């Protein structure tokens, strides 16, 4: 658990400091290396322990690995859009914070509507319906 917290903490701090200090700054490179070492050590420990926090053997299943990778990419894109679009609307286009927030409501409404519908469609037709 400590390795995971150390790894992600160092990675997040390096990503925050990278644009301000420069990506070749000693602190940023040291934090990036520490994050890589801690996360790789976490993976090695989790593969060898009898009671892992995350059983990495599950990812041998290509269906689970594909679903996890897809969910990660979708979440990464959605959270990135919900973070950067209001900043774009406010800082670049000069919108007020309220107007920028209201502009994001249709995306939120579609997510709220589409999520249960996609679950029902998958339950009815199966996960391979679109293939």
């Amino acid at each position: 658990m400590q390795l995971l917290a150390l790894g992600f903490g160092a990675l997040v701090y390096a990503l925050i400091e990278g644009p301000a200090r420069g990506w070749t700054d000693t602190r940023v490179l040291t934090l990036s290396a520490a994050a890589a070492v801690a996360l790789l050590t976490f993976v090695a420990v989790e593969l060898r322990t009898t009671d892992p926090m995350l059983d990495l053997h599950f990812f041998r299943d290509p269906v689970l690995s594909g679903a996890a990778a897809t969910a990660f990419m979708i979440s990464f894109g959605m959270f990135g859009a919900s973070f950067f679009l209001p900043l774009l609307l406010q800082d670049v286009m000069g919108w007020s914070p309220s107007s920028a927030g209201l502009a994001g409501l249709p995306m939120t409404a579609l997510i709220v509507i589409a999520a249960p519908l996609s679950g029902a469609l998958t339950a009815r037709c199966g996960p391979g319906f679109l293939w």
Side-chain angles (χ1 to χ4, degrees), residues 46-106:
E46 290 295 301
L47 286 172
R48 289 184 174 81
T49 187
T50 57
D51 189 24
M53 185 171 78
L54 173 64
D55 191 358
L56 298 173
H57 297 291
F58 287 133
F59 292 102
R60 289 182 180 167
D61 181 13
V63 174
L64 178 82
S65 296
T70 302
F72 174 78
M73 289 185 285
I74 290 170
S75 298
F76 188 78
M78 291 300 298
F79 286 123
S82 65
F83 180 76
F84 286 112
L85 280 176
L87 294 177
L88 170 79
L89 293 175
Q90 291 176 55
D91 295 339
V92 176
M93 300 182 74
W95 290 24
S96 71
S98 298
S99 298
L102 288 173
L105 282 179

